[in-house]
Amino acid sequence: MKLSPNQIQRELREIAEAHLQINSFTWGDLSIALGQKVIHYPLMHCYLQSGGNFNNNTTDTSIVIEMYDITYKDSDNMDDVLSDTKQILRDVYQVINKSTRWKRFGSVISASNQKYKWEAHDDIAGYSQNIMFKLRDFSGVCDLPMQDYDFGGDSPSASCPDV
């Protein structure tokens, strides 16, 4: 894979840090993240869905990006929160879908959005986006961290260039 799960996390964190409207970034379980650190909203929260397919030269990966902002108890600012978080999420999608940097990693297959309101740790609302991303994978047996394994037939050491 050209882009490992840890690298995806770092790339998304860089996007969040560069975007002028995003004030916090978290990764993994949202309830744990909210309980462990001080959040300055708007928040970009991300994680990878389980599953995905290995194909010949690609790996399908589901990236979930959630954009949240704080809502007033009376929800008086709900329209503004939903409008702003959807636009910020669109900005992030544009980077992933159209930037040269992300095109080197792979391509977007599809993206779907869902509106959320969460009343637990903080009253927050916003959008969640599930991006199906096809990661490029140019590795072969020559790139595997293996030594002295008989692949049967042609040995990769015979066809792999010396390091």
Side-chain angles (χ1 to χ4, degrees), residues 13-27:
R13 180 180 302 277
E14 278 192 52
I15 291 171
E17 289 171 354
H19 197 285
L20 299 177
Q21 292 173 282
I22 300 171
N23 292 323
S24 292
F25 175 86
T26 57
W27 180 265

Side-chain angles (χ1 to χ4, degrees), residues 96-114:
I96 294 170
N97 189 45
K98 295 187 176 180
S99 73
T100 303
R101 182 173 179 159
W102 276 82
K103 285 188 179 294
R104 282 190 295 248
F105 303 140
S107 60
V108 172
I109 300 170
S110 65
S112 60
N113 298 312
Q114 185 171 359

Side-chain angles (χ1 to χ4, degrees), residues 71-73 75 78 117-124:
T71 59
Y72 302 145
K73 291 290 181 194
S75 296
M78 185 63 72
K117 184 172 185 193
W118 201 52
E119 297 169 349
H121 184 270
D122 292 327
D123 289 348
I124 56 177

Side-chain angles (χ1 to χ4, degrees), residues 27-47:
W27 180 265
D29 186 296
L30 181 61
S31 59
I32 292 172
L34 290 177
Q36 291 181 344
K37 72 185 281 188
V38 175
I39 302 296
H40 300 282
Y41 293 96
L43 163 69
M44 180 172 152
H45 176 75
C46 305
Y47 59 94

Side-chain angles (χ1 to χ4, degrees), residues 1 38 41-42 47 50 80 87 96 120 137:
M1 251 187 301
V38 175
Y41 293 96
Y47 59 94
S50 61
D80 289 336
Q87 183 57 54
I96 294 170
D137 186 357

